[in-house]
């Protein structure tokens, strides 16, 4: 009889929120949908794809588009089927069974997950109450534990906290580990290390089209690293990891830099708007709701009533992300930010209405 091995036997498939909600603020997606002109350009380009042929294994067109937009050399860019895939490729490439991976918790849960799949040891640095990171403590722990890979998001999902560039440089130059810096949300902040990625022999920066770029549907992410590390990633990834449709759409997206800039601006404004509205609630109910400053496209709120608020919002047709005694709320359209704040206020005021699920 076949039995699954230890590392996978208790796993369950990823289960995002499903169901009908009028407002979805749970997955940090962009609320902006592609304009009609770009959709038409995509439709035409997609109709020209040679569907009988394999795509370009190195996705050169889209890597060049990314490189141009972010001012990095194209031969230092590796494309992936979402940056999620690239996390897995990195771990497969640079770790051997039993090696140590260090994360800075709380952080993106996929880091620990892929660590377990490659049968490596997971060591976690615990952030303080305000989600701050003591760089010297991280360095001491990484070196004492002989971490081979140190992976974290900056700005952080879910805490929204951003580490300063000079702190990251200190980390990079003080640990022996490969540092994987996930800048999925850096478009909403200003501490990117992209412009100096090749000064370090141990740095890989991850980027994604799923957040600021508003293209979560196409599954497209990038790793930026020096030539040596890039060559390893290209050798280890599966040959045709980014399909032809995604490559085509990605290329078109990056050919509209003004559009991307405008998306970043609008999403940042929406984030500031949501934060300002929630801050009024946190000030009115300081014992029940606390916010952390945000450098992302979402707001992280701490409340001992997280589960109750989550359920109340769901009954109002609004879905956010529940994480223990925290809520992570993605910035949406103006009316969506308004609605989520109005309903949280109604909850806090103790007004209970009969709500239907949609
Ligand atoms: C959303 C997110 C990603 C992006 O993943 P994709 O696979 O590119 O959609 C990567 N890292 C973090 C921290 C994220 O929140």
């Amino acid at each position: 009889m076949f039995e699954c091995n230890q590392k996978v036997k208790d796993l369950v498939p990823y289960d995002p929120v499903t169901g009908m909600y009028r407002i979805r603020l749970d997955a940090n997606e962009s609320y902006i949908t592609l304009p009609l002109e770009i959709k038409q350009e995509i439709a035409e380009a997609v109709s020209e794809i040679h569907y009988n042929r394999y795509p370009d294994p190195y996705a050169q067109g889209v890597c060049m588009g990314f490189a141009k937009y972010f001012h990095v050399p194209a031969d230092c860019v590796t494309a992936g089927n979402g940056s999620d895939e690239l996390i897995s490729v990195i771990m497969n490439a640079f770790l051997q069974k039993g090696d140590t991976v260090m994360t800075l918790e709380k952080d993106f849960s996929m880091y620990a997950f892929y660590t377990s799949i490659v049968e490596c040891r997971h060591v976690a640095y615990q952030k303080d109450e305000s989600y701050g990171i003591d760089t010297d403590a991280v360095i001491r722990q990484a070196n004492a534990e002989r971490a081979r890979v140190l992976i974290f998001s900056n700005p952080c999902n879910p805490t929204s906290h951003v580490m300063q560039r000079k702190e990251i440089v200190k980390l990079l130059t003080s640990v022996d580990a490969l540092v994987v810096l996930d800048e999925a949300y850096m478009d909403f902040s200003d501490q990117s290390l992209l412009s100096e990625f090749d000064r370090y022999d141990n740095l890989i920066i991850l980027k994604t089209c799923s957040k600021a770029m508003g293209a979560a549907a196409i599954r497209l992410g990038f790793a930026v690293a020096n030539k040596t590390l890039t060559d390893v990633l290209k050798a280890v990834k599966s040959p045709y990891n980014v399909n032809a449709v995604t490559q085509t759409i990605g290329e078109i997206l990056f050919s509209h830099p003004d559009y991307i800039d405008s998306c970043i601006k609008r999403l940042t404004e929406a984030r500031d708007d949501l934060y300002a509205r929630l801050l009024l609630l946190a000030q009115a109910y300081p014992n029940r709701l606390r916010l952390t400053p945000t450098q992302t496209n979402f707001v992280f709120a701490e409340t001992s009533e997280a589960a109750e608020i989550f359920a109340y919002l769901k009954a109002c047709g609004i879905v956010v992300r529940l994480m223990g005694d925290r809520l992570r709320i993605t910035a949406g359209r103006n009316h969506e930010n308004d609605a989520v704040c109005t309903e949280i206020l109604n909850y806090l005021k103790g007004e209970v209405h009969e709500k239907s699920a949609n």
Side-chain angles (χ1 to χ4, degrees):
M1 194 187 103
F2 180 77
E3 275 185 64
C4 289
N5 62 41
Q6 200 62 33
K7 74 176 182 185
V8 299
K9 77 179 188 12
D10 296 325
L11 291 181
V12 286
Y14 183 65
D15 184 21
V17 176
T18 50
M20 293 289 287
Y21 297 96
R22 73 193 158 89
I23 298 179
R24 294 276 315 250
L25 303 174
D26 60 308
N28 296 344
E29 295 146 331
S30 168
Y31 70 85
I32 303 168
T33 53
L34 279 178
L36 193 60
E37 312 86 76
I38 297 185
K39 278 189 183 167
Q40 277 165 349
E41 200 181 330
I42 289 171
E44 276 164 39
V46 162
S47 74
E48 302 288 312
I49 289 175
H50 298 287
Y51 285 100
N52 56 322
R53 302 293 177 196
Y54 284 107
D56 173 1
Y58 301 115
Q60 292 173 81
V62 75
C63 285
M64 280 164 64
F66 173 93
K68 187 161 182 233
Y69 184 77
F70 286 104
H71 307 290
V72 292
D75 63 353
C76 292
V77 179
T78 308
N81 185 5
S83 47
D84 232 343
E85 184 202 20
L86 292 168
I87 298 167
S88 165
V89 172
I90 289 166
M91 294 207 174
N92 277 303
F94 297 104
L95 291 165
Q96 307 204 84
K97 182 177 172 178
D99 282 350
T100 298
V101 175
M102 184 164 154
T103 63
L104 314 180
E105 299 298 321
K106 285 260 171 219
D107 206 340
F108 193 44
S109 59
M110 298 318 277
Y111 308 148
F113 169 72
Y114 287 122
T115 300
S116 73
I117 295 297
V118 292
E119 298 179 79
C120 286
R121 188 172 148 254
H122 177 210
V123 168
Y125 166 85
Q126 295 298 336
K127 297 174 190 175
D128 64 27
E129 286 289 292
S130 55
Y131 312 122
I133 293 163
D134 175 348
T135 313
D136 293 318
V138 172
I139 293 166
R140 279 196 301 275
Q141 190 176 349
N143 290 337
E145 299 281 4
R146 298 184 186 282
R148 285 287 294 166
V149 165
L150 171 60
I151 180 166
F152 59 97
S153 57
N154 194 50
C156 174
N157 172 14
T159 71
S160 258
H161 181 273
V162 72
M163 254 177 111
Q164 298 301 299
R165 202 187 276 117
K166 73 170 191 332
E167 295 298 311
I168 294 177
V169 168
K170 188 164 154 192
L171 255 186
L172 276 168
T173 51
S174 312
V175 297
D176 294 322
L178 173 70
V179 176
V180 183
L181 177 60
D182 184 346
E183 294 195 352
Y185 299 93
M186 193 54 88
D187 305 300
F188 309 114
S189 187
D190 58 3
Q191 296 299 316
S192 180
L193 273 189
L194 263 187
S195 64
E196 49 187 278
F197 78 91
D198 62 352
R199 283 196 209 156
Y200 311 98
D201 63 2
N202 60 337
L203 174 63
I204 299 179
I205 298 178
L206 295 177
K207 294 287 294 176
T208 177
C209 288
S210 302
K211 307 287 157 60
M213 242 127 330
I218 68 172
R219 311 301 304 122
L220 183 59
F222 299 91
V224 181
N226 67 44
K227 200 69 181 52
T228 310
L229 297 175
T230 296
D231 287 347
V232 173
L233 291 178
K234 289 193 168 154
V236 171
K237 76 177 187 66
S238 74
Y240 305 110
N241 60 326
V242 181
N243 72 72
V245 177
T246 293
Q247 291 190 32
T248 302
I249 300 173
E251 252 185 87
I252 290 174
L253 266 183
F254 285 113
S255 74
H256 294 281
D258 295 344
Y259 171 70
I260 300 175
D261 291 345
S262 76
C263 288
I264 293 170
K265 184 164 173 287
R266 287 166 66 192
L267 292 170
T268 306
E269 284 165 3
R271 179 275 310 277
D272 290 341
D273 171 64
L274 176 65
Y275 185 80
R277 289 176 197 248
L278 286 169
L279 193 60
L280 293 177
L281 301 184
Q283 284 163 347
Y285 297 91
N287 298 324
R288 297 173 68 190
L289 189 67
R290 278 167 303 279
L291 302 188
T292 27
T294 171
Q295 294 278 311
T296 58
N297 66 332
F298 57 85
V299 177
F300 200 45
E302 189 184 340
T303 163
S304 56
E305 295 153 273
E308 289 83 359
I309 297 175
F310 176 77
Y312 183 85
L313 290 174
K314 248 179 143 175
C316 302
I318 302 172
V319 64
V320 299
R321 180 78 187 266
L322 173 66
M323 311 178 93
D325 56 356
R326 312 279 201 290
L327 294 171
R328 194 192 66 192
I329 308 172
T330 310
R333 294 178 181 84
N334 195 33
H335 77 86
E336 294 174 326
N337 296 341
D338 189 32
V340 73
C341 294
T342 301
E343 296 301 353
I344 292 174
L345 177 61
N346 285 340
Y347 170 86
L348 292 169
K349 283 198 300 202
E351 289 178 13
V352 180
H353 300 289
E354 280 300 312
K355 300 277 181 185
S356 70
N358 46 51

